[in-house]
Amino acid sequence: MAFKLLPLEINERIASNLDTDSEVCNFGLICRETYTALNSYRCGIWRTCFARQYDLPADKRGIELKMEYWIRRRYLQRTTKFDMGQESHEIICMYKLRDLILESFADVKVGVKATRPSNNIAELRRFVQRSNILDKVQSCLHRTVNFNPLLQTLQLILMHWQLDLSLHSPVCGFPYSQQAVYAHPDDFPIFLDENYRKVNIEFLSHTANFFKYHIRNPQEQTLYHLFEQLEDHEKPRPWEARLFQGPGVKKLGKKWKGSYAYLHDTDDMPLIRSYEPGSGLYFTDSIDSEDGFQTLELDFPSAIYKPSWPKVFETHLHALPPVSLCRELRKDSDPKPRPGQGSIRHRHRNITPLQPLLVPTPSLETPPPTPGTVPFDISYPAPVFDIPRSPPPTPRLMKPEHGRDYLQFSGSGTDAEEFHCNGIVHAIPRQHDIPGWHRVSMMKYFDPLSTPSSQSSSASSTSDGTFGPISPPSSNTSSSSSSGSDNSQSHHHGIGVPAYHHSGGDDLFANDEVDINAGCWAYEGVVLPGGMIILGRWWSPMDQDRERRCMGPFIFWNIEDRD
């Protein structure tokens, strides 16, 4: 046949232009030469097929790409039904999805925004359309359930498609998610340890499902119509660069949109925390929908011009990363020696090479030599070494370092009226081998200049420039719904009094006299890998009885800056 006369490279080129995998396999069955071209040690055909379908990593050989290509085609090209994420085919499928996430934008330099779409992200979207991976929610909060946390982690990273109205993604388990987002922080914290190493993936999963319900459900009359009217660049979108872990802290995007929720009647808070979902009780979430989504614009100044961080903010937020966490993250981000390169200590040793052997010249006073011996003695001095020295020890980390361990930001936005905020963001370790997670904490407050005159007249100014609390506003504030109880109280973040006036300063804990009041709102959340979505919890720092009745969930997503 004619293929027998063609060189190997020509047969590989012919096979690489075929459209489907079945055509490529059929090409290999024509003759011995086509089979050899298809299964050569270089696997050039399968490398081309891999690069056409996925992002091509630079550290994999041809045979590895061939095997990985066929495993992905086997498990990701068919419809997979997920239940608890514990079946063997579910686990393999989740591992392959995690590989797609980690290898997205593989040809882009770390820390650089990509200029073209990712084949891996496109493949992930096709898989979401074929499967039910975004539809499963853990339906038990206080009982141990064998629900794979990797499945919940993947759902969080793919959350932007949960909010995509063009994709079919039904909402299930909303009563459980509603109970989870209003649970007491001691019972359902955002982090499972005091050093912020392990994220409570279950809490974030329920927070995502909570807002998914309000955004995708038009019957609720909360966020569906607002979200539907957003332009494409204002909606959540996938990550736009490679996911990586350190060094340093990733700056968040500049412009954000979001929302928050609360129970209109604070007396319902103990009840929703103790009832059994599905028992016939219903609770109405209050979400401001008349003034549009909350907007937020962040600014990350340099260390020289960073805003001051009052001690009272740190007391309520505990925003600075612990020293033990900083050490762990620095160790994880230090460059590892390449194979054959030796340890870092060995590379830093200062070893002097051997001195040349010196042969002394015989002096004139040397007695005559004995017959049969050499005319002079040869001495071989011992080689001279410098004592091997290790590099100077690293100074012990005593406190977090701005710019390396955390970043400070200030911001402003609108929430029925203009507000300001100050906060801190720092990295946290990998979760289920996926890097790029961050913790963000901020205090939101309102500027006196933007306070309506009707409210500013009732605010009592204090000697240190802050404002005292005022009585709660009337019940005709703009919220999507109310329970009608006599004990109801609005927690709209736009209703309040000015709290913190930034006066500059370079010290971390400047402005010790600043105090919080009813116009302050504390936020703590987790930035999902890629830096596009923030999920978390807000609360009133004035709630000193530890019952935390004035609290709820929040969400922010980064929008494209077209200015």
Side-chain angles (χ1 to χ4, degrees):
M1 297 182 65
F3 293 106
K4 295 182 180 181
L5 305 177
L6 297 178
L8 177 67
E9 292 77 7
I10 299 298
N11 284 329
E12 287 182 347
R13 186 65 178 271
I14 294 174
S16 63
N17 290 324
L18 299 177
D19 296 329
T20 63
D21 296 337
S22 59
E23 292 178 353
V24 174
C25 293
N26 292 335
F27 178 81
L29 299 176
I30 296 177
C31 61
R32 184 185 300 273
E33 280 69 20
T34 58
Y35 178 84
T36 303
L38 194 64
N39 299 278
S40 64
Y41 72 95
R42 296 180 301 176
C43 296
I45 297 176
W46 299 116
R47 178 181 290 272
T48 302
C49 294
F50 190 100
R52 189 163 48 198
Q53 192 74 19
Y54 310 106
D55 294 338
L56 184 63
D59 58 346
K60 287 188 177 181
R61 298 176 299 174
I63 187 63
E64 295 175 329
L65 293 176
K66 175 184 176 181
M67 298 301 298
E68 183 68 18
Y69 179 80
W70 278 108
I71 294 176
R72 291 183 183 181
R73 301 294 285 181
R74 177 180 179 181
Y75 286 96
L76 301 183
Q77 291 300 312
R78 63 184 182 183
T79 302
T80 303
K81 297 297 183 182
F82 288 89
D83 185 20
M84 304 288 287
Q86 298 294 348
E87 299 294 333
S88 59
H89 69 279
E90 293 177 305
I91 295 176
I92 296 176
C93 188
M94 288 188 295
Y95 285 161
K96 297 299 116 180
L97 293 175
R98 184 174 62 184
D99 291 341
L100 286 179
I101 294 172
L102 296 178
E103 295 178 2
S104 57
F105 302 107
D107 57 341
V108 180
K109 186 178 179 181
V110 172
V112 178
K113 182 178 178 180
T115 57
R116 61 164 184 80
S118 169
N119 292 337
N120 285 13
I121 294 181
E123 180 64 25
L124 287 169
R125 180 183 174 90
R126 288 190 291 267
F127 180 83
V128 167
Q129 293 175 311
R130 290 192 299 265
S131 67
N132 66 334
I133 187 173
L134 301 182
D135 305 339
K136 308 300 294 184
V137 176
Q138 182 171 333
S139 57
C140 297
L141 300 181
H142 305 292
R143 294 190 296 270
T144 302
V145 179
N146 195 22
F147 200 95
N148 196 326
L150 179 57
L151 178 58
Q152 295 176 317
T153 304
L154 294 176
Q155 290 175 340
L156 288 174
I157 298 177
L158 304 179
M159 184 191 170
H160 51 279
W161 287 321
Q162 296 190 48
L163 306 182
D164 191 343
L165 301 181
S166 63
L167 298 178
H168 176 70
S169 182
V171 183
C172 60
F174 174 74
Y176 297 95
S177 298
Q178 187 183 40
Q179 185 182 48
V181 298
Y182 293 119
H184 195 281
D186 294 340
D187 300 328
F188 219 40
I190 300 179
F191 294 90
L192 299 178
D193 63 326
E194 297 179 354
N195 292 324
Y196 312 111
R197 288 186 176 91
K198 190 173 183 181
V199 177
N200 190 345
I201 298 295
E202 183 182 351
F203 172 78
L204 296 184
S205 178
H206 283 294
T207 305
N209 192 60
F210 176 88
F211 285 104
K212 175 184 177 181
Y213 173 82
H214 283 284
I215 289 178
R216 300 188 69 95
N217 191 355
Q219 287 77 21
E220 281 293 314
Q221 298 292 322
T222 49
L223 298 177
Y224 174 81
H225 297 291
L226 281 178
F227 194 85
E228 190 180 31
Q229 295 172 2
L230 294 177
E231 299 183 9
D232 290 340
H233 71 277
E234 297 178 316
K235 295 180 179 180
R237 63 189 193 276
W239 58 99
E240 299 176 341
R242 290 178 62 180
L243 304 183
F244 67 97
Q245 186 71 31
V249 184
K250 173 182 171 59
K251 287 186 178 181
L252 303 182
K254 186 176 182 63
K255 294 187 176 181
W256 300 77
K257 282 185 178 292
S259 183
Y260 57 88
Y262 58 93
L263 291 181
H264 193 75
D265 189 356
T266 57
D267 291 340
D268 289 340
M269 194 66 77
L271 185 59
I272 195 175
R273 292 171 178 174
S274 59
Y275 92 112
E276 181 67 24
S279 60
L281 293 178
Y282 298 94
F283 300 89
T284 302
D285 300 303
S286 294
I287 300 179
D288 178 46
S289 57
E290 295 184 7
D291 298 309
F293 284 108
Q294 183 178 190
T295 63
L296 178 62
E297 187 169 337
L298 300 181
D299 178 41
F300 287 85
S302 63
I304 300 178
Y305 302 103
K306 68 179 181 180
S308 60
W309 183 245
K311 285 185 177 180
V312 66
F313 286 9
E314 181 64 21
T315 301
H316 290 278
L317 293 171
H318 304 286
L320 291 173
V323 174
S324 59
L325 177 64
C326 298
R327 292 172 183 164
E328 178 181 339
L329 293 175
R330 289 189 180 189
K331 183 178 179 180
D332 186 34
S333 61
D334 284 341
K336 306 296 188 299
R338 295 187 296 271
Q341 195 176 14
S343 64
I344 297 178
R345 178 177 180 180
H346 178 74
R347 296 199 305 272
H348 283 277
R349 284 181 175 175
N350 182 19
I351 301 178
T352 304
L354 294 177
Q355 301 295 332
L357 297 180
L358 300 179
V359 180
T361 305
S363 61
L364 298 177
E365 290 78 9
T366 303
T370 304
T373 61
V374 293
F376 53 85
D377 295 328
I378 300 177
S379 62
Y380 295 88
V384 179
F385 288 91
D386 281 351
I387 299 177
R389 298 176 181 176
S390 301
T394 304
R396 185 175 179 83
L397 181 65
M398 302 303 295
K399 64 178 181 179
E401 178 183 340
H402 181 274
R404 181 173 183 181
D405 300 317
Y406 72 94
L407 289 177
Q408 218 173 319
F409 64 86
S410 59
S412 60
T414 55
D415 177 19
E417 58 180 291
E418 185 178 358
F419 68 86
H420 303 278
C421 67
N422 288 79
I424 286 178
V425 58
H426 66 82
I428 53 181
R430 302 169 185 262
Q431 307 295 316
H432 301 284
D433 293 332
I434 299 178
W437 304 76
H438 290 75
R439 172 178 176 251
V440 61
S441 307
M442 72 177 186
M443 189 68 75
K444 172 181 171 183
Y445 52 90
F446 293 85
D447 194 292
L449 299 178
S450 63
T451 305
S453 59
S454 60
Q455 298 179 12
S456 60
S457 61
S458 61
S460 58
S461 177
T462 60
S463 59
D464 60 358
T466 61
F467 290 78
I470 59 175
S471 58
S474 59
S475 59
N476 58 356
T477 55
S478 57
S479 61
S480 62
S481 57
S482 63
S483 61
S485 173
D486 295 337
N487 297 327
S488 63
Q489 179 178 350
S490 175
H491 305 301
H492 190 292
H493 293 192
I495 304 298
V497 282
Y500 165 62
H501 229 355
H502 171 56
S503 60
D506 297 336
D507 295 333
L508 179 61
F509 292 118
N511 257 340
D512 290 346
E513 297 180 355
V514 173
D515 197 6
I516 53 97
N517 55 31
C520 290
W521 305 97
Y523 281 66
E524 181 187 22
V526 175
V527 185
L528 302 184
M532 293 297 181
I533 296 179
I534 306 175
L535 296 172
R537 174 188 285 132
W538 66 267
W539 70 93
S540 171
M542 297 296 294
D543 189 2
Q544 302 293 342
D545 57 1
R546 297 298 299 170
E547 291 187 9
R548 290 287 180 91
R549 295 192 178 190
C550 185
M551 55 158 287
F554 76 87
I555 180 176
F556 280 107
W557 62 85
N558 183 237
I559 63 176
E560 186 176 351
D561 188 2
R562 293 194 171 184
D563 293 342

